[in-house]
Amino acid sequence: MKKWAIRIAGAVIASWSAASAAQAFPTKPIRIVAPYVPGGTVDALARALAPHLSQELGQQVVVENRAGASGNIGAEYVAGSEPDGHVLLLTASTVIVNPLVMKEKPRFDLHENFTPVGMVASTPLVFVVSPQSGINTVGEFVQYAKAHPDKVNFGVGGFGSGGHLAMETFNVRTGTSIPMVIYKGSAPALTDIVGGQLSAMMDPVLTTLPFVNTGRLKAIAVTGGRRSDLLPSVPTLEEAGVPNMDFVSWYGMWGPAGLPESVSNRIQSALTKVLASPDFKAWLDKQGMVAGTVTGKRFGDYVLQESKKYAQAVADAKIEPK
């Protein structure tokens, strides 16, 4: 009887503690760690999100940039933080690619050292070519690449980036062997494709759309399962005859492992409300992004499936870690 009484008392105390944590949270400003330099997509997304979350949670939400090692430094910092909900990570889908393509592996496991909160947004990649190339469709591009293998190349905005893996997979799916030119960032690659030094590249809507809208680049396809609302006349790669090209750049939020369920649920609820708000959705639309729809375990399951997909892409393309 005494053992049962102790167990019951323990369960009551645990339940009371969880309820207390939910009621108390947040007790101080919340920091969203953006593990990249200011001015990039993740930083912009975090800063757009912060004031909306502040309003929902009743506490100031600030953005803290901790850049380095392709986002790993900031992620490591959050992984080692107190799991009380006051330090969160907002990062890009490259966080699951880094362990696959980097010789120096991250000192954390995304699936073990973090609590998934939710997907914030996603955006397809746009397959662009130079208007001077005379190419109008993916089929024409593949045909030209096979007929003139020494005259084509792909620009890549970073080793292991979504665009890199998408391009490598494109080679596998189409039976081409187009060489990659790796850049440190999308900007110089886009400059070179406009200047005629590159044949094609895939990069998010946010970075490619200004070039497409001004006629400096031609969009011939988008990745993902649906067309982009900002490029409604541009087919998906699936429609263009290249299957299994569901590569998108997505951005997610995590807390450290051990985040109390009640606190995680509170943050998830606030995030869901923000993502459904007209103001924030309008901001996302302008960036060519779609609001996330999965939170908690469903988001964790999605990331796990994405990890498997990227691991297969790396294996299929025989990409050696650097």
Side-chain angles (χ1 to χ4, degrees), residues 4 29 52 85 117 128 136 148 156 182 189 192 213 230-231 236 249 284 298-299 301 314:
W4 279 108
H52 292 276
V117 174
V128 291
N136 297 300
H148 308 87
V156 174
I182 310 293
D192 278 358
N213 285 344
L230 294 179
L231 295 165
T236 66
S249 291
L284 288 177
R298 289 177 60 211
F299 176 52
D301 291 342
V314 169

Side-chain angles (χ1 to χ4, degrees), residues 5 8 48 70 90 92 104 119-120 158 166 199 205 217-218 248 274 298:
I8 292 171
S70 297
L90 178 61
E104 185 175 345
M119 183 190 294
V120 177
S199 304
V205 175
L217 290 178
K218 180 181 293 184
V248 296
V274 172
R298 289 177 60 211

Side-chain angles (χ1 to χ4, degrees), residues 12-276:
V12 170
I13 291 172
S15 177
W16 179 82
S17 298
S20 297
Q23 290 176 357
F25 175 82
T27 60
K28 57 184 178 181
I30 297 166
R31 289 180 290 153
I32 297 178
V33 174
Y36 303 96
V37 296
T41 303
V42 171
D43 177 68
L45 188 57
R47 293 184 188 281
L49 187 65
H52 292 276
L53 281 180
S54 295
Q55 186 174 357
E56 291 295 334
L57 293 171
Q59 186 64 261
Q60 185 182 15
V61 178
V62 298
V63 177
E64 182 177 317
N65 297 96
R66 286 181 174 263
S70 297
N72 289 341
I73 288 177
E76 287 173 9
Y77 173 79
V78 176
S81 299
E82 187 71 22
D84 58 7
H86 292 95
V87 179
L88 302 169
L89 174 70
L90 178 61
T91 191
S93 46
T94 48
V95 71
I96 62 175
V97 181
N98 288 344
L100 303 172
V101 299
M102 297 176 70
K103 282 187 176 179
E104 185 175 345
K105 304 303 181 186
R107 293 192 291 270
F108 62 84
D109 185 295
L110 186 67
H111 308 292
E112 294 183 4
N113 302 124
F114 291 90
T115 300
V117 174
M119 183 190 294
V120 177
S122 65
T123 180
L125 305 176
V126 184
F127 193 127
V128 291
V129 297
S130 169
Q132 285 72 39
S133 67
I135 290 171
N136 297 300
T137 68
V138 172
E140 290 177 4
F141 181 84
V142 172
Q143 185 177 13
Y144 181 84
K146 289 182 175 180
H148 308 87
D150 58 333
K151 294 184 178 180
V152 292
N153 56 16
F154 281 139
V156 174
F159 184 80
S161 65
H164 181 199
L165 296 191
M167 283 298 193
E168 293 281 13
T169 302
F170 181 85
N171 267 339
V172 173
R173 298 278 185 270
T174 59
T176 53
S177 54
I178 303 168
M180 308 286 158
V181 183
I182 310 293
Y183 291 77
K184 292 184 178 180
S186 297
L190 287 165
T191 297
D192 278 358
I193 190 173
V194 170
Q197 286 78 44
L198 296 173
S199 304
M201 70 180 294
M202 290 191 215
D203 222 47
V205 175
L206 179 63
T207 52
T208 54
L209 191 62
F211 293 91
V212 173
N213 285 344
T214 55
R216 288 176 290 172
L217 290 178
K218 180 181 293 184
I220 59 174
V222 296
T223 62
R226 58 183 291 268
R227 296 190 181 195
S228 168
D229 291 340
L230 294 179
L231 295 165
S233 63
V234 178
T236 66
L237 277 164
E238 184 86 25
E239 292 174 317
V242 186
N244 302 318
M245 289 294 296
D246 193 20
F247 289 88
V248 296
S249 291
W250 50 261
Y251 307 89
M253 179 176 285
W254 288 264
L259 193 67
E261 184 176 0
S262 55
V263 173
S264 179
N265 288 343
R266 179 89 188 276
I267 300 170
Q268 289 176 41
S269 177
L271 179 62
T272 299
K273 289 180 181 178
V274 172
L275 296 180

